[in-house]
Amino acid sequence: NLAVQLAREAGARIAGTGRGRDRAATLAGGAQQFADLDSERFEEVAGQVDVVLDTIGGEVLDRSAAVVRPGGMLVSVALPPKIRPADGRATYFAVDPNGREPAELARRVQQGRLAPPAGAVRPLAETREAFPGKQGTPARPS
């Protein structure tokens, strides 16, 4: 969802992928096209693209190399790509949690430019109830 919003802000035409349950949120977030990974081949829905941003890895990442235009880029945040686009342009990166990227994303959320998806909002006092089945001892201050 955040990747779609960032791409839309940059003026990109967006073809999103995911499970059927993700369709509405992806399209509402700004994607012009959506391919259901359970029933469609994204290669046929999206055609050739300039950039693929992969967050899944595995077979989806391997198949993504085929849709990248010459001069385009395959970016993975999940795993280094095994199969590269025809001209070899592929990138793997990890975001430093203490770096400038998270601070920039937080700034955009505060400005209302990004809207992180939220399943539910609860008071901090209800943290334990928010994660049913999770057992543990609350942290004690040192």
Side-chain angles (χ1 to χ4, degrees), residues 116-122:
V121 177
R122 293 181 174 210

Side-chain angles (χ1 to χ4, degrees), residues 104-122:
E104 173 62 17
L105 293 175
R107 186 177 67 77
R108 290 180 186 199
V109 169
Q110 290 171 341
Q111 293 173 339
R113 291 171 53 196
L114 281 178
V121 177
R122 293 181 174 210

Side-chain angles (χ1 to χ4, degrees), residues 7 12 16 27 36 52 62 74 85 92 94-95 98-99 102 107-108 111 113 115 117 119 124 130 136 139-140:
L27 293 172
D36 184 335
V52 169
D62 293 344
L74 172 58
Y92 169 71
V95 175
N98 297 315
R107 186 177 67 77
R108 290 180 186 199
Q111 293 173 339
R113 291 171 53 196
L124 185 59
R140 291 192 170 88

Side-chain angles (χ1 to χ4, degrees), residues 5 7 11 15-16 20-21 24 46 52 58 60 83-84 92-93 103-104 116-117 119-121:
Q5 292 175 59
R21 66 181 180 271
V52 169
V60 170
I83 301 172
R84 297 181 179 257
Y92 169 71
F93 69 94
E104 173 62 17
V121 177

